[in-house]
Amino acid sequence: MRSAIFLEMTVQSQVIYESEYLMFRKSIACVFTAIVAGCFAAVGRCQESTPPERTGLPVRIESLHLPNPVQVHQKVISGGLPESEAAFRELAALGVKTIISVDGMKPDVELARKHGMRYVHLPHGYDGIPEGRKKELAKAVRDLQGAVYVHCHHGKHRSPAAASVACVAAGLIQPEQAVPVLQLAGTNPNYRGLFKDVRDARPLTSVELDRLFVEFREVQDIPAMAEAMVEIAEVHEKLEQIAAAKWKTPSDHPDLEPAHEALLLRELLAELLRQEKTARHPAEFLNMLGESAAAAAELHERLLKMHDQTATTKSQLSELDSFTKCITDNCKACHATFRDIPLDEKR
């Protein structure tokens, strides 16, 4: 009798033990699952709030056919104009799918297509990047198929500025990583507008970029000549004010720095000469434009050399005046011959 009772108690104890053991295992499993789920949730939250990665970029890229290429971000490269089949093949080898031109020249859309790449034309000047264009560039580097190659003509000034501003605005790099892009690319510090835009670059919100609608075009429909002439006239007017102040910064315009304004004029005239449509103009027009470009280049070089001089001689002032007179005379002659005549009398 006792044996039967003992056996029954033993069996019941075993059942209770096994039941409690199973419940314990289930509890442990639930706790483990909750911990793992919590960990993954925490990781997700960390990933959402993680700032742009510090990767040791920017770095210069060794290249045989691309002018001055600089890796700004894993997805974004800055550089100069790809001018040959070999250059486009090199871009393809780098994984580039989108080419963004910030240059005024018409992009070689067909050659890009041939190598499986898309062109996007978002030009801007040497004096800075308009706010709207900054947002367009940021959306482009964030959303367009990449790697992305951003280029101007030489890859030294506009493209590194555009690429770094775009990457900061898109949240791809830290703001403090932007200016080193210009330094590595060799951007001339006299391009104060570009440096200012790069120094002031800040991330845009995802919501702002998501809501931004941009029709990315292969070629922008820009009246290049008219736009260039307006910019040239504005800079020329500033140089006249500087000349009146004996080639020093005018007291009533402390923002005008002689060498900087001469540099802007030099680049504007040089780029106008590079335009495809410019080459179609008559020889007389091209000769006047070429003389003005040479005079602007010489003016810039002389002002750079005189920058640290405490005094300027009459001879030096006379030379500087002669360069601006050459440019002014050519502008007047060009307007009289090619602009200031009735349309039906144009040759």
Side-chain angles (χ1 to χ4, degrees), residues 19 23 33 39-40 65 83 99 139 159 191 229 238 244 247 252 275 279 313 317 320:
S19 176
M23 289 177 65
T33 301
C39 288
F40 277 111
H65 307 287
E83 295 189 87
I99 305 174
K139 190 173 181 72
S159 63
Y191 290 115
M229 289 302 179
K238 293 176 182 177
W247 294 100
D252 57 340
Q275 296 288 336
T313 66
L317 291 175
L320 296 176

Side-chain angles (χ1 to χ4, degrees), residues 188-237:
N188 191 328
N190 288 326
Y191 290 115
R192 294 177 298 167
L194 296 179
F195 267 89
K196 182 180 185 302
D197 285 342
V198 171
R199 283 194 301 268
D200 294 346
R202 293 295 179 269
L204 299 172
T205 66
S206 296
V207 173
E208 186 174 1
L209 287 177
D210 290 341
R211 289 177 178 173
L212 180 66
F213 172 77
V214 184
E215 183 183 356
F216 291 115
R217 298 182 179 181
E218 292 179 318
V219 180
Q220 289 283 358
D221 186 17
I222 300 173
M225 184 65 70
E227 187 177 70
M229 289 302 179
V230 170
E231 291 180 311
I232 288 169
E234 289 176 351
V235 176
H236 185 264
E237 183 178 345

